[in-house]
Amino acid sequence: MANDASAVFDTLSPAFSNGSLTDPFTPPADSSLWRKNFLLGAATASYQIEGAVNEDGRLPSIWDTFSATPGNVLAGDTGAVACDHYHRWEADVEMLASLGLEGYRLSIAWPRVMGAAGLPNRKGLDFYKRLLSRLKEKGITTSVTLYHWDLPQHLEDRGGWLNRDTAYRFADYADLMSRELAGTVDAWATLNEPWCSAYLGYGNGHHAPGLANDRFATQAMHHLLLAHGLAIPVLRANDPASQKGIVANIGRGTPNSDSAADQRAAHLFEVQHNAWILDPLLKGAYPQDLFELWPGTEPLVLDGDMQTISAPLDFLGINYYFRTNVASDGAHGFRDVPLEGVERTQMGWEVYPDGLRDLLTGFKRTYHNLPPIYITENGMASDDKVIDGHVDDTQRISFLKRHLAAVDQAIKAGVDIRGYFLWSLMDNFEWAFGYERRFGVVHIDYSTQKRTVKRSAELVAKFLKERKARV
Ligand code: IFM
């Protein structure tokens, strides 16, 4: 059966009513999270959950190509089936609603909705129309990302993000989507994590399309940001009532010692992870320190590009996962120095909630025009197992509680944070790590597609129910 939504209630109610579920999650009484207008939701992305890669006229994406190449993805996994969300979306929306989640962040697969000549693919578009309309019927706030890494392969064949023309094709795609979907989208994000698209895709080759050259990375980044800047006015014209923004992943770098060289290394780490994206968006210029790290990699920038890129935003989406401890590499850069004895997740990433607070308060000091912020992703992977019908993801419960406390601290320090989306609604295709790494608050059995709500999701649902009941 595709639909396990009724099972959500079966899982929730007995545990709550017989008192067997203790609550290590609920935020303290003075937490800003109790504010009803603080949006709490969950996020996913098209290639990670949809499957159905050959259906209804969807064209190949760079991730179909990349994952089909042996050695690129753990265990040879691909997104061909994923969570089969393309067929099970109705049950998944029921599940989301039954958990009381108030917002849903999803992405659109560009190759599903637009043909190679730029014409709409009606069947693909209808999928998103149905999905978004149902979410609105359920009273769920919709946050739609236009590009979460699944570039149409035909555009990559013409140079992908190394080709300036891709930025203009993206603006055409944004135009089509916002004309077709206006009224069902509360917030549009142009790009998800341009750092990953540019650096992992073109700089070190860990992600599609698998190229490895620092100069490629800076040029790809410029074209991604240009694409964003070109799309913003288009979205504003077609769908004036919605919010428009972009989503950036951010990284905390801490120095391994007090030495000036290690302090500089930590600074350069954050320039490479954060300022590379945020400075052009919010200051209209690339940070010059980036080119100390990667000498001679300045991208080709045409007149007017930086004004286009730095168009005002309604919101900035922030994705945060971990910190990296770094030391000087003895030359122009930094090297990771993993700390011993710290808590880590299934990804090996350190659990470091203070990093989220410190970065957010730091951005407020650095960027005087910092837009309102949504935490558009935060979460962790664990090797979750279903035992007697339940998944006790205790580390995730503690992780979420501590990161939400960090968000509360940042709000209390004056950062305008409007909401938080768990990454992820469900276990899914974790890119180069395939299906082994489980980020969901809902467990997926990939052999049956059965959904099992994890304890973390139950506790979030319980909190949301309590918050809603408050007068
Ligand atoms: O799964 C990814 C997501 O697609 C982008 N942000 C980070 C997540 C965890 O790695």
Side-chain angles (χ1 to χ4, degrees), residues 401-417:
K401 185 182 173 101
R402 285 178 283 162
H403 283 79
L404 282 162
V407 170
D408 178 46
Q409 288 163 9
I411 293 173
K412 288 182 173 139
V415 187
D416 182 2
I417 306 171

Side-chain angles (χ1 to χ4, degrees), residues 380-454:
M380 57 158 283
S382 44
D383 185 16
D384 299 319
K385 304 263 188 296
V386 182
I387 297 170
D388 296 334
H390 297 283
V391 180
D392 264 315
D393 52 341
T394 47
Q395 191 189 10
R396 181 173 294 103
I397 293 164
S398 160
F399 179 102
L400 295 177
K401 185 182 173 101
R402 285 178 283 162
H403 283 79
L404 282 162
V407 170
D408 178 46
Q409 288 163 9
I411 293 173
K412 288 182 173 139
V415 187
D416 182 2
I417 306 171
R418 308 268 174 100
Y420 175 102
F421 293 83
L422 303 158
W423 184 268
S424 176
L425 174 64
M426 55 184 116
D427 296 338
N428 58 49
F429 177 77
E430 176 53 24
W431 307 112
F433 296 96
Y435 295 102
E436 190 197 84
R437 311 291 161 95
R438 294 181 174 273
F439 274 92
V441 294
V442 172
H443 179 277
I444 302 284
D445 178 335
Y446 293 106
S447 59
T448 60
Q449 292 293 346
K450 182 173 167 53
R451 276 79 166 134
T452 303
V453 173
K454 301 182 190 178

Side-chain angles (χ1 to χ4, degrees), residues 48 148-149 192-193 319 321 349 377 423 430-431 439:
Q48 294 181 272
H148 198 126
W149 310 352
N192 178 70
E193 302 183 352
N319 296 353
Y321 288 93
W349 296 346
E377 286 182 27
W423 184 268
E430 176 53 24
W431 307 112
F439 274 92

Side-chain angles (χ1 to χ4, degrees), residues 15-51:
F16 290 130
S17 55
N18 70 18
S20 65
L21 185 60
T22 53
D23 184 354
F25 176 77
T26 297
D30 71 339
S31 169
S32 337
L33 301 171
W34 285 101
R35 288 188 207 152
K36 284 187 179 164
N37 62 357
F38 185 88
L39 186 72
L40 252 174
T44 61
S46 47
Y47 192 72
Q48 294 181 272
I49 66 165
E50 285 178 2

